[in-house]
Amino acid sequence: MKKSASFDAPEVLQDAGFKVTPLRVLLLEVLHDAPKPLPVSVLVRKTKRVGADSATVYRALSAFVEKGIVKCLSLEKDKTSYEYILGKGHVHHVVCDSCGTIESISFCMRNIHASAAAKSKQFKLIKEHSLEFFGTCRKCVRAVR
Amino acid sequence: MKKSASFDAPEVLQDAGFKVTPLRVLLLEVLHDAPKPLPVSVLVRKTKRVGADSATVYRALSAFVEKGIVKCLSLEKDKTSYEYILGKGHVHHVVCDSCGTIESISFCMRNIHASAAAKSKQFKLIKEHSLEFFGTCRKCVRAVR
DNA sequence: ATAAATGCAAAAAATTTGCAGCCGT
DNA sequence: ACGGCTGCAAATTTTTTGCATTTAT
């Protein structure tokens, strides 16, 4: 298996003012290469190979979030996941309510923030949104038949 | 302070096949009367007055979710909340990124499931979605000035 | 009567913190 | 050399589970 050819994790780390350590490089590569958000459990497991402690992983993830490199989200109950977002446009997800499979999709809605702000009493300006879909994936639909 | 005049918690419980116990009645009323999702910590605290243990609250909440009476969601990191949904249409939320205030808003998007399904490879049919907005509420905008 | 619901205690899981030492810059 | 980063251990917080007992139907 090959690493992404064009992604330069050390550069991203340096640009964000971080040191280039083995854990953070690996963590960033794993996150960048994933086609969908990865749960903490997976990130902790994958970084065990460089001897990383879960506490360090949590700390690195928080640091990444602060710099806007990754995003934290919880699509499934009691399952926090992280997703690489730097430079990427807005991404949404579809979650399988049967097996938990997650697919990322791009989906653009114009003026949605303004429309939402118009409905709101307490907010004048809305800056972000998250949109997630739920359904049963083809594999699980087949399994039920 | 008066309880909602028309909401009959015992009836909802019975219809769902549950027993009508003090805790579950109170819990359901609290959830029903709230204009926004309530975090577990709040629900546990509010039900302490009938001597409820947090384990019992968790169990009741899970039971409610299974019957489709309430919905579980986590709008803020590491903060699981529950919201009454029985009979209500789709509700969305706006979260203040500064103080965490949550406002519920109604917001309808036609054909959004079909549009999303069209973008997806792994899903043919999408059944649900969640849409949450983030911004800074008027109070916090004022505070920063 | 009987099955569901509860309280209590204990366990398990998830996340955070303190601190001394290591390592990138 | 400095400060960020790390490992390790311990503390917190959140959620779940087992079990004997109570309670609604």
Side-chain angles (χ1 to χ4, degrees), chain B residues 8 16 28 43 50 58 65 73 81 85 96 98 108 110 117 124 131-132 134:
Chain B
D8 190 344
L28 214 45
L43 296 171
V50 285
Y58 277 104
V65 170
L73 64 170
S81 296
I85 55 166
C96 177
S98 172
C108 181
R110 254 166 312 221
K124 194 199 293 184
L131 173 60
E132 316 299 344
F134 303 89

Side-chain angles (χ1 to χ4, degrees), chain B residues 14 19-21 40 55 58-59 80:
Chain B
Q14 283 186 321
K19 288 184 178 178
V20 179
T21 69
V40 175
Y58 277 104
R59 279 187 276 230
T80 306

Side-chain angles (χ1 to χ4, degrees), chain A residues 68-92:
Chain A
I69 299 170
V70 307
K71 178 177 159 186
C72 173
L73 63 171
S74 44
L75 296 176
E76 295 171 87
K77 188 171 186 305
D78 298 325
K79 199 170 201 173
T80 307
S81 296
Y82 289 85
E83 177 181 35
Y84 191 92
I85 56 166
L86 195 64
K88 293 187 180 176
H90 215 81
V91 168
H92 300 294

Side-chain angles (χ1 to χ4, degrees), chain A residues 6-126:
Chain A
S6 56
F7 178 60
D8 190 344
E11 187 183 348
V12 172
L13 288 170
Q14 283 186 321
D15 288 354
F18 293 128
K19 287 185 177 176
V20 179
T21 69
L23 164 66
R24 295 193 171 197
V25 168
L26 173 58
L27 189 55
L28 215 43
E29 284 176 347
V30 167
L31 285 164
H32 178 272
D33 294 350
K36 59 182 186 189
L38 297 177
V40 175
S41 56
V42 169
L43 296 171
V44 167
R45 182 157 38 72
K46 293 209 177 200
T47 52
K48 275 279 164 58
R49 19 166 165 136
V50 285
D53 186 76
S54 60
T56 308
V57 175
Y58 276 105
R59 279 188 277 230
L61 289 171
S62 298
F64 292 170
V65 169
E66 264 183 34
K67 289 289 181 182
I69 299 170
V70 307
K71 178 177 159 186
C72 173
L73 63 171
S74 44
L75 296 176
E76 295 171 87
K77 188 171 186 305
D78 298 325
K79 199 170 201 173
T80 307
S81 296
Y82 289 85
E83 177 181 35
Y84 191 92
I85 56 166
L86 195 64
K88 293 187 180 176
H90 215 81
V91 168
H92 300 294
H93 309 92
V94 195
V95 184
C96 177
D97 47 32
S98 171
C99 71
T101 285
I102 297 173
E103 179 182 357
S104 297
I105 62 177
S106 65
F107 199 93
C108 181
M109 291 173 300
R110 253 167 311 221
N111 302 328
I112 192 172
H113 290 182
S115 310
K119 297 255 186 183
S120 163
K121 287 192 173 61
Q122 296 179 56
F123 292 77
K124 194 200 292 185
L125 179 65
I126 289 174

Side-chain angles (χ1 to χ4, degrees), chain B residues 130-144:
Chain B
S130 87
L131 173 60
E132 316 299 344
F133 297 94
F134 303 89
T136 313
C137 74
R138 292 174 190 277
K139 185 157 52 80
C140 287
V141 168
R142 253 181 272 127
V144 175

